[in-house]
Amino acid sequence: MMINSKEITIAKNPLSIFKREGIGVLFILIIMFLFLSVSSPTFLSVENISNLLLQSVFVMIVAFGTMFVLSMGGIDLSVGSVLGLCGGVTGWLMMSGTNMWIAILAGMILGALIGAFNGLVITKLRISPFLATFAMLYIARGLLFLLTSEDPIRNLSTPGFKFLAQGSFLGIPMAVVITFIVFVICHFLFHSTSFGRRVIAVGSNKEASHLSGISTDSVKIRVYALSGLLAAVAGILLTSRLTSVQPLMGDAYELDAIAAAVIGGTSMFGGKGSVVGVVGGAVILALVSNGLDLLAVNQFYRLIITGLIIVIAVGAERFTSVKTN
């Protein structure tokens, strides 16, 4: 099987992307940390930093999957609804007396299956990713409404389940520990495996990838399955955090996930992504929300500030890319 030069470059040095990527993200993070450190005396407290990390992890996990999808040249608008549905199914199973681990596994499998179904619709029926995942957004959200309409899912007080997002390990919130594990796995997949190289290859040039022997349809299905799986993981953690499931849980998470990925240097046109950049992007979004709370500013400004940050981050990345090329 032939592998294009793009794949070979990444394979030889998977860390080479960090020489150019992330400069804009790092600059914004430093500026925001300095500004909030001076503006609010409680910003650097252990309690606030812990809360900041917890604010970012749920979007971060979803954004890892979104980064894979965008890098491949696709888009997934269903992840917020999938997050809510999979968290709801997990909670519903536990309320019905199902073993916690079986319920969690069922929620994760459901997320992966929904993602794979998205991939199949896109590749086999030739429906655009935007339309296919937009339709799934409504389907999954409707199913969640049906699941929660008659019997609300709440009071999930199982100690083991609550520990997943409310407990701590060596003083570190357990949700952060789980997110770090997910980060390591996603980083390895994207930067150190043939799967990651093929994702970039398909996103860079689908036709050339197909001619070089890459099964582009298979790559797409697997990427969407991964996106659904990660949305499910985030949904299960959020359910553990809230100990309940609301019909609108996960609403607009798809937009935050796209924002985190794009701020982190992922291209909306495919062929470029960074797992580390997603971490920075998600933390930036959490910083905006956290900073507005500390400064007692209306959260509606978050939308405006987030939009400006996206423009600045993308502009900075484009400028540095031109300078280094």
Side-chain angles (χ1 to χ4, degrees):
M1 180 184 70
M2 295 175 62
I3 302 293
N4 64 26
S5 59
K6 181 85 173 179
E7 286 190 279
I8 294 173
T9 301
I10 298 174
K12 287 182 177 179
N13 189 2
L15 298 180
S16 63
I17 59 170
F18 299 123
K19 295 178 181 179
R20 301 191 303 272
E21 311 299 335
I23 296 177
V25 177
L26 181 61
F27 174 75
I28 293 173
L29 277 173
I30 291 173
I31 293 298
M32 292 182 71
F33 261 97
L34 291 176
F35 174 75
L36 291 174
S37 298
V38 173
S39 302
S40 173
T42 60
F43 173 70
L44 291 178
S45 66
V46 174
E47 182 180 359
N48 185 64
I49 295 298
S50 177
N51 181 56
L52 174 66
L53 291 173
L54 283 174
Q55 279 184 285
S56 67
V57 294
F58 305 107
V59 169
M60 193 181 297
I61 292 174
V62 179
F64 288 144
T66 298
M67 185 276 301
F68 274 88
V69 174
L70 293 177
S71 297
M72 184 190 62
I75 192 168
D76 191 348
L77 299 177
S78 68
V79 287
S81 296
V82 173
L83 179 156
L85 178 60
C86 294
V89 167
T90 300
W92 177 79
L93 287 172
M94 291 181 61
M95 283 186 61
S96 302
T98 305
N99 175 272
M100 180 187 80
W101 294 111
I102 295 177
I104 290 173
L105 181 61
M108 293 172 64
I109 291 173
L110 177 62
L113 288 175
I114 292 174
F117 180 78
N118 282 338
L120 285 168
V121 169
I122 291 166
T123 57
K124 304 307 179 184
L125 299 183
R126 304 302 175 188
I127 296 176
S128 73
F130 180 90
L131 290 177
T133 58
F134 189 58
M136 183 55 70
L137 178 155
Y138 280 101
I139 294 170
R141 184 62 62 186
L143 290 172
L144 179 59
F145 270 97
L146 290 174
L147 188 66
T148 57
S149 59
E150 295 183 2
D151 189 13
I153 301 171
R154 57 191 176 190
N155 300 325
L156 302 174
S157 56
T158 305
F161 188 64
K162 288 178 65 177
F163 178 75
L164 293 177
Q166 298 184 36
S168 61
F169 177 74
L170 300 178
I172 304 172
M174 195 62 195
V176 175
V177 175
I178 293 172
T179 304
F180 177 74
I181 294 171
V182 173
F183 162 79
V184 171
I185 294 172
C186 289
H187 190 279
F188 175 76
L189 280 176
F190 191 72
H191 296 294
S192 303
T193 67
S194 60
F195 172 67
R197 293 192 290 274
R198 288 171 183 175
V199 169
I200 290 293
V202 171
S204 299
N205 192 321
K206 179 183 173 181
E207 295 302 322
S209 300
H210 180 71
L211 292 173
S212 68
I214 295 175
S215 176
T216 57
D217 284 357
S218 175
V219 171
K220 287 182 179 181
I221 292 170
R222 285 185 288 168
V223 166
Y224 278 103
L226 177 62
S227 178
L229 173 62
L230 291 174
V233 171
I236 292 166
L237 280 179
L238 190 56
T239 301
S240 169
R241 180 70 179 172
L242 301 175
T243 65
S244 65
V245 177
Q246 302 300 324
L248 292 177
M249 189 175 83
D251 185 46
Y253 263 61
E254 61 277 356
L255 301 180
D256 284 342
I258 292 172
V262 171
I263 291 171
T266 300
S267 172
M268 289 287 291
F269 304 103
K272 186 176 105 173
S274 170
V275 180
V276 174
V278 168
V279 175
V283 171
I284 285 174
L285 293 180
L287 274 172
V288 171
S289 183
N290 182 258
L292 293 178
D293 283 339
L294 293 176
L295 300 176
V297 178
N298 194 313
Q299 278 287 335
F300 287 125
Y301 285 101
R302 180 180 180 273
L303 299 175
I304 300 172
I305 296 171
T306 299
L308 291 173
I309 290 173
I310 291 174
V311 173
I312 294 171
V314 173
E317 294 294 344
R318 289 289 179 87
F319 178 77
T320 53
S321 293
V322 170
K323 286 292 185 181
T324 54
N325 287 337

